[in-house]
Amino acid sequence: MQHVVVLGGSIAGMAAARALRSLGKRVTVVEPDGLAATAERDGVPQSGQLHALLDMGRTQAERWFPGLSKDLVAEGAVLGSGSEIQLFSRGRRKVSVPGNELIGVSRGLLEDHIRRRTLLDDGVSVRAGKACGLVVRDMRVAAVRVRAADSDEVHLVPADAVVDATGRSSRLASWLREEGWPQPPVDRMRIDLGYATARFRRGHELPDVRVAHQLPAAASGSGAQPDTGAMAAVEGDQWMAVIAAYAGMRPTRDPADFRRRMKEMDAGPFGVVADRCELIGEVETYGMAHSLRRRWWEVERLPGGLFVVGDAVASFNPVYGQGMTSALLHASCLAAYLRRGADLRAPAHAYFHHVRVVVNAAWELSTLSDLAQPHVTGPYPRGYPLARKMAEWMEEASTTDAWVNERFLDVVNMRRRPADLQTPRFWWRVAMARARR
């Protein structure tokens, strides 16, 4: 049985392990934090923040972990649909889309379920330690160097293939350089984002709301950048609320300031929670300096048996909630690549070209919005002014036209690619919605 080493035990790594097991591969997961605990792990410093599992992400999660949503709801997670999901843009509430669903759950509970499900499989083993290099022989990956969790001793873990799921701080490119292999081109877009999450006691103050989201907006003419925010009903009868802002407007850990900013949002549910609900614990903050994309599909010479998933490929502005969904889609790309009969030990060029479609769709959507912020200086894609204007028209139309909003949400939730919004029928509906206004 072929043996694959997965580096990293977060959601990307667990999904990749499940995909490999579906094809009969034996899997070893290398994880510095160990896999017994999920809360406040050193490897995931942002774990206390509100995370979003977009609709396509939930679809993929159900594929690899059947019944996951049902089990999460049984433990208190909250499934919202239709009008229970309230989206606000430029001070207006957008028309609801019947059938649109989101699940409110903390990252800790979600990751705990995914890990438990993965580790119940006898074909998955865990090695506590930190990967610190690769061994490449005969033009393919042959082993991983792993530093033990409780010492500085380094061991070699033989492998037929390796999956890098170590996140945005991945050292894979450096390891390849040390072995004489080329590195992928890298795109960075400085966003200078800060965000903060707080938990509140949830009662009956908003009986018809499960999720509320104040969508990102460009700065006004005065240069003031409005906050972006999201809140969701989660397990433990709690609300989790996150506020995100850029540059000098980044939120702090001050509870009074957090409540004030919630009340100033155009999205009414935030003010209700700020006024009526008890704050639980402390406000947690986190920052992200730049979005990152590693273009592995452009590397002409790759060692055989090497795969990359999750944030190790690309990490996007978290306000768009694309991270976990992208990671689950990468696992599906891996399964599709191998199911077509590809040699596990061969260079995985076709896999990376498949992943490119997922990565570039998410990158296009998030960076187009980020470039509207005055402190973000590019690089600007060709035709950006027209693309930005068209995005504004689309956003305006999706506020009042349910048909436009449904298709817009299909792209936001990664069910469809941005290119699917370029049909003549779609833009006719956009024009008609704007004319009615």
Side-chain angles (χ1 to χ4, degrees):
M1 183 184 295
Q2 290 179 311
H3 175 226
V4 182
V5 175
V6 175
L7 308 180
S10 192
I11 290 172
M14 293 293 97
R18 291 284 282 199
L20 291 163
R21 286 297 297 143
S22 74
L23 296 161
K25 314 301 181 186
R26 183 168 60 89
V27 177
T28 297
V29 179
V30 175
E31 168 56 49
D33 296 325
L35 297 183
T38 58
E40 299 182 2
R41 295 189 297 114
D42 291 341
V44 191
Q46 75 278 24
S47 61
Q49 302 295 323
L50 175 63
H51 284 70
L53 184 60
L54 302 178
D55 189 66
M56 176 53 79
R58 194 159 63 91
T59 298
Q60 297 300 317
E62 287 288 339
R63 174 185 181 183
W64 299 118
F65 307 94
L68 177 65
S69 296
K70 181 180 177 181
D71 289 349
L72 291 171
V73 170
E75 289 204 28
V78 181
L79 182 64
S81 63
S83 61
E84 296 174 331
I85 303 170
Q86 299 188 3
L87 308 179
F88 296 80
S89 176
R90 303 178 189 274
R92 296 170 293 174
R93 180 180 167 187
K94 300 182 75 168
V95 62
S96 298
V97 174
N100 185 34
E101 293 185 341
L102 285 172
I103 191 164
V105 60
S106 69
R107 174 161 180 153
L109 180 59
L110 175 63
E111 199 169 290
D112 182 60
H113 270 268
I114 286 175
R115 283 186 165 195
R116 278 192 279 137
R117 294 278 199 94
T118 304
L119 297 180
L120 284 173
D121 189 333
D122 291 338
V124 178
S125 60
V126 179
R127 187 166 190 134
K130 184 175 182 178
C132 56
L134 294 178
V135 175
V136 181
R137 298 194 190 103
D138 300 324
M139 306 297 287
R140 71 169 188 86
V141 175
V144 180
R145 294 185 177 92
V146 177
R147 181 173 290 109
D150 55 356
S151 71
D152 290 331
E153 189 175 357
V154 175
H155 303 272
L156 290 184
V157 181
D160 294 297
V162 171
V163 178
D164 179 16
T166 56
R168 64 183 277 121
S169 60
S170 167
R171 299 284 298 162
L172 178 60
S174 298
W175 300 341
L176 289 177
R177 185 184 66 239
E178 292 169 2
E179 294 284 333
W181 293 85
Q183 301 178 83
V186 178
D187 298 316
R188 287 183 175 85
M189 178 174 286
R190 187 181 68 86
I191 57 174
D192 198 11
L193 176 77
Y195 53 106
T197 292
R199 293 175 178 256
F200 296 87
R201 191 78 61 196
R202 175 164 55 89
H204 302 287
E205 59 283 334
L206 290 169
D208 300 322
V209 179
R210 298 292 179 268
V211 176
H213 189 187
Q214 179 149 310
L215 299 173
S220 66
S222 65
Q225 294 169 279
D227 287 341
T228 296
M231 52 177 269
V234 300
E235 73 274 7
D237 295 323
Q238 296 179 10
W239 292 107
M240 287 187 75
V242 61
I243 295 174
Y246 298 92
M249 297 298 294
R250 294 187 300 270
T252 69
R253 297 173 60 90
D254 180 3
D257 183 62
F258 193 92
R259 286 186 187 270
R260 176 188 63 78
R261 294 173 80 147
M262 288 183 71
K263 293 176 185 180
E264 290 176 354
M265 287 192 178
D266 295 323
F270 286 87
V272 172
V273 170
D275 276 332
R276 302 186 190 177
C277 298
E278 173 194 356
L279 181 67
I280 303 171
E282 299 180 346
V283 178
E284 296 189 32
T285 58
Y286 191 72
M288 184 170 174
H290 56 264
S291 298
L292 177 70
R293 175 175 61 175
R294 298 179 173 102
R295 302 198 305 271
W296 286 101
W297 46 89
E298 295 184 13
V299 179
E300 294 183 0
R301 193 169 66 92
L302 285 169
L306 184 65
F307 304 88
V308 190
V309 296
D311 284 0
V313 181
S315 55
F316 316 98
N317 185 331
V319 303
Y320 308 109
Q322 300 163 315
M324 292 193 296
T325 298
S326 292
L328 290 157
L329 283 166
H330 296 169
S332 294
C333 290
L334 176 59
Y337 167 76
L338 294 175
R339 195 168 284 122
R340 287 194 295 266
D343 182 355
L344 181 70
R345 300 182 179 188
H349 295 290
Y351 162 76
F352 285 112
H353 280 281
H354 196 179
V355 164
R356 177 191 59 178
V357 176
V358 177
V359 170
N360 287 352
W363 184 265
E364 178 183 340
L365 187 67
S366 64
T367 56
L368 182 63
S369 296
D370 288 337
L371 286 169
Q373 302 297 336
H375 71 286
V376 178
T377 57
Y380 291 89
R382 180 180 300 176
Y384 169 74
L386 177 59
R388 184 63 221 164
K389 181 59 67 176
M390 293 174 72
E392 291 173 2
W393 293 340
M394 185 192 320
E395 181 185 355
E396 181 181 335
S398 67
T399 301
T400 57
D401 188 304
W403 188 91
V404 172
N405 197 29
E406 181 177 4
R407 278 135 192 88
F408 177 69
L409 287 176
D410 280 344
V411 172
V412 170
N413 284 306
M414 301 183 73
R415 291 189 291 260
R416 296 178 181 270
R417 294 178 298 173
D420 292 336
L421 299 180
Q422 303 305 318
T423 65
R425 184 186 181 194
F426 178 81
W427 283 104
W428 173 256
R429 289 293 295 255
V430 169
M432 290 300 96
R434 296 187 72 241
R436 286 194 296 272
R437 292 196 63 232

